[in-house]
Amino acid sequence: MKAKAEAMRELSISAGYWLVCCAWLLTIGPLGGTEGGCSNREARKCCPGRNNDCLDFSRRRTPCYCDNYCEKTGDCCEDYLAICQVSAAVDCVVGPWGPWSECSALCGTGSKDRMRQVIVPPRNGGAPCPDLKQRRGCLGDSPLCETAKEVAKILPNSFKRDFKDPWRRPHMLMREKMPSYCVYFRLKQVGAACSLHFWSSQLVRERRVCVECQGDAAGSKKRCQGDGLQEARTFWTAASVAGCQGSWVQESSQEKCVCPQYSFIFV
């Protein structure tokens, strides 16, 4: 019995040594002289961005990574910094805000913008750049706003005065000799009542129309009321058709011009 007990004790000691050796081998790896990490990779040793295939095993035989994303997740291999030559993270640096732009609308509600430039772009996982553009609302207060508020009164150009009145005063004759000018509009809104009369039925949404400012219709500013502003929406009304009204956008104007037949005149 004593010999059997002694044999069992020696067997236990041998098994213990064997387990210790196995644990040591698992720690250092199958080859005692090798080390895991980015330097041990056969393919690309370092990978940009996030790449789950860019991995190896640490000295403890646990998975570790050699991509840039491992800096955020904290699972880089031990030699990542040395092998991949990673510099310190550089945060984005921006300059001061520039001045606000002019209001986008001459009249009414518009917007203003301001911008700033990137001085130092982010590198190596540094903080990204903040917003480089800001926008805020504004109200256009151009002196031309009064013109934009005017409502044009129009009639068909068949109402032209082409007769000579001998009783006209000299200053009125001079006004009649003032050359006409033409304004071209794109109709944007047209009231339903416009379709009830022949001449006003020519006023159709998105149609381009010519409206003539004759000399006797021009005021003291040598322009017709409601002749609009370039690329601005203004309003009009048909002088002889109740309820026929709408809006248009001035596209162009031409001095010393006469509109073609079936056009319109300012009243």
Side-chain angles (χ1 to χ4, degrees):
M1 286 295 290
K2 185 177 180 179
K4 187 176 182 180
E6 186 67 24
M8 292 294 294
R9 187 172 68 83
E10 291 179 0
L11 182 61
S12 298
I13 293 173
S14 299
Y17 280 124
W18 184 81
L19 289 173
V20 170
C21 289
C22 287
W24 179 73
L25 287 173
L26 288 173
T27 302
I28 66 171
L31 297 176
T34 60
E35 292 184 358
C38 302
S39 60
N40 200 41
R41 285 174 50 79
E42 294 181 0
R44 297 176 59 185
K45 298 184 182 301
C46 307
C47 307
R50 182 174 184 174
N51 187 343
N52 291 337
D53 294 328
C54 193
L55 83 160
D56 207 273
F57 291 91
S58 68
R59 294 171 183 173
R60 297 183 179 183
R61 309 309 297 165
T62 57
C64 63
Y65 293 86
C66 300
D67 59 352
N68 296 147
Y69 196 74
C70 73
E71 297 179 60
K72 295 183 178 181
T73 53
D75 52 3
C76 299
C77 294
E78 291 94 333
D79 59 352
Y80 171 74
L81 293 178
I83 298 300
C84 298
Q85 298 180 351
V86 177
S87 304
V90 178
D91 295 339
C92 179
V93 178
V94 297
W97 287 107
W100 288 102
S101 65
E102 296 293 329
C103 190
S104 61
L106 288 175
C107 310
T109 304
S111 62
K112 290 184 176 183
D113 297 322
R114 68 174 182 176
M115 303 179 68
R116 56 183 175 182
Q117 303 295 324
V118 175
I119 298 176
V120 180
R123 295 194 299 272
N124 305 322
C129 296
D131 290 339
L132 302 177
K133 185 176 181 179
Q134 285 185 337
R135 175 171 291 178
R136 69 180 184 185
C138 60
L139 288 175
D141 56 356
S142 169
L144 297 174
C145 289
E146 292 302 318
T147 300
K149 294 177 183 178
E150 296 176 351
V151 178
K153 294 181 180 180
I154 60 173
L155 284 172
N157 61 356
S158 57
F159 280 75
K160 288 182 180 179
R161 296 178 179 177
D162 53 1
F163 62 90
K164 301 296 182 180
D165 186 350
W167 301 103
R168 286 290 179 92
R169 301 291 190 270
H171 70 278
M172 297 186 70
L173 292 175
M174 289 180 62
R175 283 184 58 190
E176 285 188 342
K177 293 180 181 179
M178 184 183 303
S180 302
Y181 66 89
C182 303
V183 187
Y184 295 90
F185 295 94
R186 182 74 59 181
L187 293 164
K188 295 298 181 182
Q189 290 176 307
V190 178
C194 298
S195 61
L196 301 178
H197 292 73
F198 174 74
W199 75 267
S200 60
S201 64
Q202 307 302 310
L203 298 166
V204 180
R205 187 172 178 271
E206 292 301 329
R207 175 172 290 179
R208 190 170 188 258
V209 296
C210 179
V211 186
E212 182 180 334
C213 178
Q214 299 176 346
D216 57 349
S220 58
K221 297 181 180 179
K222 297 182 180 181
R223 52 171 289 271
C224 287
Q225 178 176 325
D227 59 357
L229 296 173
Q230 184 81 28
E231 301 299 330
R233 182 180 292 233
T234 53
F235 300 92
W236 58 268
T237 182
S240 63
V241 182
C244 180
Q245 56 192 8
S247 64
W248 53 22
V249 174
Q250 186 199 114
E251 293 187 342
S252 63
S253 60
Q254 183 178 347
E255 298 295 329
K256 298 181 180 180
C257 167
V258 176
C259 286
Q261 191 177 9
Y262 304 118
S263 296
F264 306 94
I265 60 173
F266 291 103
V267 178

